[in-house]
Amino acid sequence: MAPVTLTLKPGTAWSDAWQRCRAVAPEAFRDDRVLNLWASAWKPDGRALPATSPVDGSPIAGPPRLDAPTAGQAVRASLDQHRAWRHVPLAERRARVAATLDALTEHRELLALLLVWEIGKPWRLAQADVDRAIDGVRWYVDGIGPMLADRTPLPGPVSNIASWNYPMSVLVHAMLVQALAGNAVIAKTPTDGGVACLTLASALAAREGIPVTLVSGSGSELSASLVRSPEIGCVSFVGGRDTGARIATAVADLGKRHILEQEGLNTWGIWNYSDWPTLTSLIPKLFDYGKQRCTAYPRFVVQRTLFDAFLAAYLPAVRSIRTGHPLAVENPEDPLPTLDFGPLINAAKAKELADQVSEAIDRGAVPLHRGSLAGARFLPGQDTSAYLPPVTLLNPPPSSPLHHAEPFGPVDTIVLVDTEAELLAAMNASNGALVATLSTDDPSTYERLSPQIRSFKVGHGKPRSRGDRDELFGGFGASWRGAFVGGELLVRSVTEGPHDERLPGNFPDYHLMP
């Protein structure tokens, strides 16, 4: 049978998305660049960097990077907004945030299409990212009253510095809840992608009177303003441990409120387990978005005597993973494809991971599975340099980054253990994690071992996630610093209560669980 020739779904080209953005929010999109938003105005300042889509390497809009002095002006202007907004009655804040959610809902598909082009999310996951932001904030709009009882906004705006992988359901969600609680909000666009999506969402919020500041720039250039400025009331960060540690040092020195979500090696343990069909059904879901998630599971810790049964359940599932161009269809009228993941965030990341895999194998890791792009869904002749098929390695050497760090890509590693002590040591390899799972047939074994796993959330035979609405979220060890969030805690983290209040979280002088 001759191979099927795919084509780009009509109406989904980057040029189509860009023209729609200019029509929806002409104040924020100009010619071939996005603008920065500060002092309640869209400004054509900053040096626009070139950018390419991970989907096919084609040019897209890049971030207009500000210099440090201009960022300082933006922060001071945000403080002026904050001082006015904190006195706006809650009923009016709720109405404005609700109107913003209605606007986001109206332009849901455009926001999702931008996520496909800018960060490579498949259509299903891009829509889910937008929907989770909207639905999550609606929950707060409906229930914010009791959460704010006897609480007041922070003395200054909240500064948000987030990674590129969840612009809507993490960053925009946090910004709107922070504003609902009475704070002006500042956000730095991620360097690696998402600037157009965030610009459109911010434009829709600004139209409703939400005090949003959106700026672009390098972390090193803007850190003094967005982290250390005395005007900032709280720093909210989502990203890697190296950057997070530098921010943690700065905010600790200044005694500033902070929420720092950092990466950890999330692990899945297998011990005295036999429900292999359930595990097989879960494996493809763990590859959503190519494991470019803070709650992905890249490490399996497996009881040695179960290794053969584990492989029999795991390998058929990982071989079923579907990847390719997220907007490629066989016929123009076909729906967009249902994929597990598309490209990684850029070609450099794909090469970095491929090099790490090769180096680990050279140093003794055993390749159990190496996927191929040969059968993936691509357009004729398209750039595929950002795509990496799934890889599974047994026993990565201690010298490899894959042994101790989160790969942030579709690379699984497996470690074999013989005792419960080894199981726990291997599951706690990264000094704290956000999520973990232990698959065991015996509930009493789970109850005994799960408290010893250094993870904020531990699932019994099923994956855990950040959660939505009223589900708390945080991390143990080096995976989290500062206040925990989720549900009422998100509101508490960006408001002030009694003068002697101790917020749940990991702080320099105490650790308090909710």
Side-chain angles (χ1 to χ4, degrees):
M1 180 181 296
V4 175
T5 300
L6 301 177
T7 186
L8 188 68
K9 174 83 171 175
T12 66
W14 170 256
S15 58
D16 297 320
W18 185 255
Q19 291 306 316
R20 290 170 64 186
C21 287
R22 293 193 64 187
V24 171
E27 70 272 27
F29 296 84
R30 179 173 300 179
D31 298 327
D32 60 350
R33 63 173 290 166
V34 298
L35 307 185
N36 288 296
L37 171 62
W38 59 276
S40 302
W42 291 96
K43 301 176 183 289
D45 48 13
R47 180 171 60 90
L49 293 185
T52 57
S53 170
V55 170
D56 60 3
S58 60
I60 59 174
R65 301 178 69 164
L66 295 180
D67 56 25
T70 308
Q73 294 179 51
V75 169
R76 289 188 289 273
S78 181
L79 178 60
D80 292 337
Q81 289 181 303
H82 180 85
R83 287 170 172 165
W85 179 253
R86 62 176 293 151
H87 297 296
V88 172
L90 176 59
E92 184 176 343
R93 298 201 306 264
R94 291 177 64 183
R96 293 189 185 187
V97 172
T100 300
L101 297 178
D102 291 342
L104 293 175
T105 301
E106 180 183 354
H107 299 291
R108 167 183 180 263
E109 291 198 353
L110 176 54
L111 291 162
L113 183 58
L114 292 171
L115 292 179
V116 174
W117 280 110
E118 293 193 282
I119 61 174
K121 282 202 169 183
W123 183 240
R124 170 180 62 88
L125 299 179
Q127 290 178 301
D129 193 10
V130 177
D131 291 342
R132 285 183 62 189
I134 295 169
D135 295 343
V137 178
R138 283 199 194 280
W139 182 86
Y140 284 94
V141 169
D142 293 339
I144 190 66
M147 299 182 198
L148 287 177
D150 301 319
R151 305 193 69 81
T152 58
L154 296 172
V158 181
S159 176
N160 294 272
I161 304 169
S163 58
W164 44 265
N165 53 342
Y166 284 91
M168 292 295 298
S169 63
V170 173
L171 182 50
V172 170
H173 177 279
M175 292 164 61
L176 291 178
V177 175
Q178 293 159 8
L180 183 64
N183 303 290
V185 294
I186 305 169
K188 186 183 92 64
T189 63
T191 302
D192 287 325
V195 62
C197 179
L198 287 169
T199 299
L200 179 59
S202 297
L204 298 175
R207 285 181 181 177
E208 303 300 336
I210 306 296
V212 176
T213 295
L214 184 69
V215 295
S216 295
S218 70
S220 57
E221 182 86 4
L222 302 192
S223 178
S225 297
L226 300 184
V227 176
R228 293 183 171 274
S229 289
E231 294 90 347
I232 298 296
C234 175
V235 176
S236 177
F237 168 81
V238 179
R241 289 193 176 185
D242 290 343
T243 302
R246 290 193 293 271
I247 292 176
T249 299
V251 294
D253 291 345
L254 298 168
K256 195 181 295 292
R257 182 76 62 87
H258 56 284
I259 307 161
L260 310 181
E261 176 188 332
Q262 300 170 164
E263 63 189 16
L265 186 60
N266 305 316
T267 58
W268 192 301
I270 307 288
W271 189 262
N272 292 339
Y273 180 70
S274 63
D275 188 7
W276 302 113
T278 293
L279 182 66
T280 298
S281 70
L282 292 172
I283 294 299
K285 300 174 184 176
L286 302 184
F287 278 87
D288 273 358
Y289 196 33
K291 301 207 172 192
Q292 298 177 104
R293 300 176 289 120
C294 63
T295 54
Y297 287 83
R299 168 66 52 81
F300 288 89
V301 181
V302 181
Q303 188 175 7
R304 191 182 305 273
T305 55
L306 298 179
F307 185 45
D308 57 338
F310 171 82
L311 283 185
Y314 173 89
L315 288 176
V318 77
R319 288 169 181 151
S320 73
I321 300 299
R322 298 152 300 178
T323 187
H325 192 304
L327 303 173
V329 294
E330 184 175 348
N331 301 296
E333 66 275 10
D334 289 347
L336 290 170
T338 300
L339 303 172
D340 296 295
F341 65 94
L344 300 193
I345 186 57
N346 52 48
K349 178 62 180 180
K351 183 180 185 304
E352 173 191 296
L353 265 184
D355 289 346
Q356 288 181 1
V357 167
S358 296
E359 182 179 55
I361 293 172
D362 288 344
R363 295 180 181 180
V366 178
L368 298 176
H369 173 74
R370 280 189 275 193
S372 169
L373 296 179
R377 298 174 55 90
F378 293 123
L379 300 180
Q382 79 159 81
D383 185 326
T384 61
S385 58
Y387 293 79
L388 184 74
V391 177
T392 307
L393 301 179
L394 175 66
N395 291 335
S399 59
S400 169
L402 298 176
H403 178 80
H404 56 78
E406 183 180 16
F408 235 62
V411 178
D412 278 348
T413 56
I414 299 173
V415 173
L416 303 182
V417 295
D418 297 298
T419 67
E420 289 184 355
E422 288 179 309
L423 174 81
L424 292 170
M427 293 190 71
N428 293 330
S430 67
N431 183 27
L434 303 175
V435 296
T437 291
L438 178 62
S439 289
T440 180
D441 292 343
D442 182 15
S444 64
T445 299
Y446 174 82
E447 295 298 326
R448 178 168 48 83
L449 296 180
S450 60
Q452 302 178 65
I453 299 172
R454 295 280 292 164
S455 172
F456 191 79
K457 295 182 178 182
V458 181
H460 187 184
K462 59 184 180 181
R464 297 303 307 271
S465 67
R466 249 181 159 268
D468 288 314
R469 301 177 177 87
D470 58 349
E471 188 173 355
L472 307 180
F473 192 57
F476 277 122
S479 67
W480 195 282
R481 301 175 191 268
F484 294 148
V485 297
E488 182 184 359
L489 288 190
L490 176 53
V491 174
R492 290 176 63 187
S493 70
V494 294
T495 54
E496 293 191 318
H499 73 279
D500 58 348
E501 179 179 44
R502 285 161 58 94
L503 293 174
N506 288 333
F507 292 93
D509 55 344
Y510 73 89
H511 170 85
L512 179 64
M513 288 296 294

